[in-house]
Amino acid sequence: MLRARAFSGANAGRSSGSRRSLACNRFINAAFKTPYPTDTAQLPTEAPTDVVYDAVIIGGGMGGLTTAAKLVAKGAKVVVLEKYLVPGGSAAHYKREGYTFDVGSSMMFGFGDQGTTNLITKALESVGKRMQTVPDPTQVHYHCPPSSAHPEGLNVQVWRKYEDFVAELSARFPAEAAGIKSFYDECWAVFNSLNSLEMKSLEEPRYLMGEFVKNPIACLTLASYLITNTGDVARKYIKDPELLKFIDLECFIWSTVNADMTPMINAGMVFCDRHFGGINYPVGGVGAIAENMVDGITERGGHVVYKANVKEIITEAADSSSSSSEPSIRATGVRLADGRVFRGKSIISNATRWDTFEGLMGESKMPESEKLFRKRYKKSPSFLSIHMGVKADVLPPDTDVHHILVETWEQMEQPRGTLFVSMPSLLDPSLAPPGRHIIHAFTPDWIDAWQGMSPAEYEAKKEAVADEICARLEKLFPGLRAAIEFREVGTPRTHRRYLSREDGTYGPIPSRRPLGMLSMPFNSTSVQGLYCVGDSTFPGQGVNAVVFSGFGCAHRVAVDLGMEPGWPAVDKAYAGLLNYVRDRS
Ligand SMILES: NC(=O)c1ccc[n+]([C@@H]2O[C@H](COP(=O)([O-])OP(=O)(O)OC[C@H]3O[C@@H](n4cnc5c(N)ncnc54)[C@H](O)[C@@H]3O)[C@@H](O)[C@H]2O)c1
Ligand SMILES: CC(C)=CCC/C(C)=C/C=C/C(C)=C/C=C/C(C)=C/C=C/C=C(C)/C=C/C=C(C)/C=C/C=C(\C)CCC=C(C)C
């Protein structure tokens, strides 16, 4: 099932046992060591409260940190208030018994060297940082259910080289070879257009007009896909129901919804960046990205404060010149659980929209636009996560780093139906003790299944569900259960507690067919001075996605603060137009 293959060059560091890879890894760690303190007791819990910041950012996930990085790079006075002990939120890491585990998945898009869509690389560069990465030869290895055409199960590897992937998928569906090429080629039309634009705020008309003038073809191409979903494009070219299910799965593993619910612009980004920039793993673990960002932010005079639990967004009556018809209020600061108040000209929330507007603002102040958002979007499930340390010899040579296991198509979207597996120590052996590997298995799950239990029942259920999942994974890794030396199970309750995300949700998903990319709000909100960033804003879930939202947010805020040029007069009309279209979706 795990086909062996030859791969050399960039991939030479992959086989964890090889002396070459370990030596190479030691060099990498020495050359790119981050000064970020390893002892959390050394991390700052204070920042001045007697100043008015240009931006007060609630939350140090990748969305909040990117916004901070872009703003400090412009000379803005910024404070990031993070409730937890370390930065990165869903993209942080933690250490146990010699292992460094990524909290979320380990599959990084946007980490290449070229183009304009290598957003993680660019976010780090904006604060003078660059990280060593290890290229992954495949994005993912799919293990799909058997069918009459594929009695052993549909088995597909998404190779880094586009042509190799298309050839492999076409070999599985020879009658659809032309359709496969046409579908993915259309994704390239979207990606190539994205990859020629400067990535800034799509709700800033001066920038948008400038891009239309510089790149009219790219902008018109993207405009033509604004309201298109991926399923519609797939069905133009592909008829085989099993292949259409596969395309659904291609979307589901990152959007948690099927192709009909996934905007085509996002699919263009994901389905092509994996071949253009490739999937690249940061040496030292995913959390090292956030740590490097924090170093860059603080080196430029920004503050990142830990154990800073924001309880309230402070608002006051505002002038009614806002474009909105609602009572005008302006966000002016935040209050922490310990009573400290931080004041800012702009307040930026990296918490989810649910946590921001129901939790920090209070439902009585919920703007109409947020009520509409709640009709269009619902919370996606959370994840059940099993972090394991295993004996290395349970993984055959050339095992792929990421796997997806679906046993029946009906199960795909069900809780615990699709199993996701990431094994980042195959790329960076320093994450595990010698002779050991990390297996991180995770699967969508709802918080309701984990409520109302005694602590003992909760612990027993965690172990029972993890046993069941490990038994299913034996199909991919025979002998797995006997090879496990460390196992820790996180549930949706764990995600809620440590990531402060309501119900532990992975992010918003559309409640009905979305209007392509236009359904999702950008960064401004109808409360003056209050912005959202992260996966509750366009383009949604994903590290490179929330980094893009950080680029957009920083640009919009910088224009509103007068630090970048804009067209305030056109702003209002343009915002009104976007809202008009969105409210009708
Ligand atoms: N490989 C992958 O693609 C991968 C891996 C991991 C995570 N992710 C993605 O990362 C995305 C999330 O990124 P994000 O930046 O939107 O959010 P996030 O949840 O990662 O970060 C939000 C941060 O805000 C903090 N916070 C929340 N409420 C707070 C409060 N009241 N006071 C202070 N701090 C508070 C949290 O502790 C957290 O650190 C997810 O959608 C997921 O898709 C992707
Ligand atoms: C008018 C208007 C508004 C406009 C006009 C036209 C134009 C110009 C347009 C433009 C546009 C743009 C620029 C856009 C942009 C976009 C973007 C950037 C997007 C992005 C996206 C991204 C994404 C979505 C991503 C995602 C990812 C993810 C989620 C991932 C995940 C992963 C996981 C979970 C893993 C899996 C695992 C295994 C397999 C194991």
Side-chain angles (χ1 to χ4, degrees):
M1 190 170 294
L2 296 155
R3 214 181 66 194
R5 66 195 186 276
F7 196 96
S8 58
N11 185 39
R14 267 197 64 185
S15 65
S16 61
S18 86
R19 218 178 281 164
R20 179 176 174 186
S21 79
L22 293 174
C24 157
N25 205 54
R26 268 196 295 274
F27 161 75
I28 288 167
N29 283 340
F32 290 87
K33 202 167 174 306
T34 165
Y36 189 82
T38 44
D39 174 5
T40 55
Q42 297 171 24
L43 294 173
T45 53
E46 306 281 339
T49 50
D50 56 353
V51 286
V52 177
Y53 290 92
D54 292 315
V56 174
I57 302 180
I58 307 166
M62 282 303 294
L65 291 176
T66 303
T67 314
K70 298 295 284 182
L71 284 171
V72 291
K74 294 200 171 301
K77 217 184 305 161
V78 174
V79 63
V80 179
L81 302 169
E82 168 54 50
K83 181 173 170 182
Y84 193 47
L85 307 171
V86 291
S90 320
H93 55 198
Y94 70 96
K95 294 187 194 291
R96 289 277 191 282
E97 300 188 12
Y99 294 93
T100 303
F101 292 116
D102 295 330
V103 167
S105 103
S106 310
M107 184 188 288
M108 293 297 121
F109 297 83
F111 222 163
D113 288 331
Q114 311 158 48
T116 62
T117 50
N118 54 347
L119 296 163
I120 299 183
T121 308
K122 287 201 159 28
L124 285 161
E125 274 172 7
S126 65
V127 283
K129 298 289 165 190
R130 184 168 178 81
M131 288 179 73
Q132 180 74 22
T133 57
V134 189
D136 196 338
T138 53
Q139 178 217 359
V140 57
H141 187 158
Y142 288 107
H143 309 265
C144 306
S147 63
S148 53
H150 305 101
E152 300 294 314
L154 172 65
N155 201 315
V156 180
Q157 279 154 293
V158 180
W159 297 99
R160 193 172 181 101
K161 196 164 163 220
Y162 175 60
E163 290 75 18
D164 292 351
F165 162 60
V166 168
E168 174 154 332
L169 190 59
S170 303
R172 305 283 185 275
F173 296 93
E176 292 279 12
I180 290 171
K181 175 123 182 37
S182 304
F183 168 66
Y184 286 105
D185 279 357
E186 191 159 336
C187 294
W188 278 102
V190 171
F191 179 77
N192 291 334
S193 303
L194 285 173
N195 207 28
S196 62
L197 299 188
E198 193 186 354
M199 295 284 153
K200 285 189 151 192
S201 173
L202 293 171
E203 53 177 342
E204 206 292 293
R206 189 178 195 270
Y207 148 77
L208 207 53
M209 193 55 79
E211 289 301 309
F212 263 97
V213 171
K214 278 192 278 175
N215 293 298
I217 308 278
C219 289
L220 288 170
T221 305
L222 290 169
S224 71
Y225 285 103
L226 281 179
I227 58 169
T228 308
N229 294 318
T230 314
D232 299 327
V233 180
R235 276 191 303 275
K236 263 198 323 193
Y237 303 113
I238 294 170
K239 298 286 166 277
D240 184 312
E242 188 184 7
L243 183 54
L244 286 170
K245 272 289 173 203
F246 176 79
I247 304 288
D248 277 337
L249 182 62
E250 275 260 85
C251 292
F252 179 79
I253 69 159
W254 49 272
S255 66
T256 63
V257 285
N258 62 31
D260 276 341
M261 305 286 261
T262 303
M264 179 63 182
I265 292 192
N266 287 356
M269 179 77 184
V270 172
F271 293 162
C272 301
D273 181 47
R274 64 192 184 182
H275 306 292
F276 179 83
I279 301 299
N280 300 294
Y281 189 77
V283 171
V286 165
I289 305 175
E291 292 169 356
N292 273 280
M293 297 274 285
V294 169
D295 283 343
I297 292 164
T298 50
E299 282 159 18
R300 278 156 186 74
H303 299 274
V304 180
V305 183
Y306 299 91
K307 299 188 195 168
N309 180 8
V310 176
K311 277 289 179 201
E312 184 193 345
I313 294 174
I314 301 166
T315 57
E316 55 191 47
D319 65 57
S320 52
S321 61
S322 133
S323 59
S324 155
S325 55
E326 301 183 44
S328 291
I329 50 172
R330 164 169 282 279
T332 55
V334 301
R335 182 169 289 109
L336 269 52
D338 60 16
R340 278 182 289 170
V341 168
F342 287 84
R343 296 273 170 197
K345 295 177 192 160
S346 47
I347 309 298
I348 300 168
S349 177
N350 189 198
T352 70
R353 288 197 112 82
W354 292 279
D355 292 290
T356 302
F357 287 95
E358 278 140 57
L360 303 178
M361 289 277 296
E363 277 189 61
S364 60
K365 292 189 212 159
M366 169 111 58
E368 273 311 307
S369 52
E370 293 303 320
K371 293 183 189 154
L372 282 169
F373 171 82
R374 279 152 187 71
K375 285 192 189 146
R376 284 198 310 272
Y377 285 89
K378 57 186 181 187
K379 283 169 256 173
S380 74
S382 181
F383 275 93
L384 178 105
S385 239
I386 313 171
H387 286 100
M388 291 179 270
V390 299
K391 290 184 192 140
D393 56 13
V394 76
L395 302 180
D398 282 331
T399 299
D400 293 297
V401 176
H402 293 101
H403 295 258
I404 287 288
L405 175 64
V406 186
E407 287 128 320
T408 68
W409 287 118
E410 295 67 41
Q411 250 178 294
M412 183 183 93
E413 294 191 55
Q414 298 302 312
R416 299 181 220 145
T418 297
L419 298 188
F420 297 59
V421 178
S422 289
M423 298 179 286
S425 56
L426 288 169
L427 294 173
D428 177 0
S430 75
L431 302 176
R436 302 290 179 271
H437 271 306
I438 286 173
I439 299 190
H440 178 199
F442 49 106
T443 184
D445 202 0
W446 294 99
I447 200 157
D448 298 352
W450 296 92
Q451 307 274 42
M453 280 173 244
S454 70
E457 285 166 338
Y458 177 62
E459 287 308 318
K461 180 166 177 174
K462 282 203 317 193
E463 293 312 309
V465 171
D467 285 347
E468 217 175 275
I469 287 173
C470 290
R472 287 165 68 190
L473 288 177
E474 288 265 349
K475 283 182 208 133
L476 305 188
F477 313 114
L480 170 68
R481 281 172 295 182
I484 299 171
E485 299 209 317
F486 174 88
R487 188 171 89 174
E488 193 165 56
V489 185
T491 71
R493 275 169 57 174
T494 319
H495 288 96
R496 180 179 62 187
R497 176 170 175 198
Y498 289 103
L499 302 177
S500 304
R501 301 173 68 89
E502 191 165 294
D503 298 345
T505 178
Y506 175 64
I509 48 173
S511 340
R512 51 178 193 253
R513 262 177 77 88
L515 198 61
M517 87 166 216
L518 274 190
S519 287
M520 189 67 133
F522 295 115
N523 303 103
S524 302
T525 71
S526 30
V527 175
Q528 292 180 38
L530 177 64
Y531 304 80
C532 285
V533 70
D535 57 23
S536 283
T537 58
F538 174 81
Q541 293 100 328
V543 174
N544 66 333
V546 302
V547 167
F548 175 80
S549 102
F551 277 51
C553 188
H555 179 211
R556 184 65 262 179
V557 168
V559 171
D560 292 347
L561 289 174
M563 300 175 92
E564 275 206 56
W567 285 342
V570 186
D571 262 359
K572 281 185 196 163
Y574 177 58
L577 179 69
L578 284 178
N579 286 338
Y580 178 85
V581 175
R582 190 173 298 124
D583 292 352
R584 267 138 203 87
S585 71

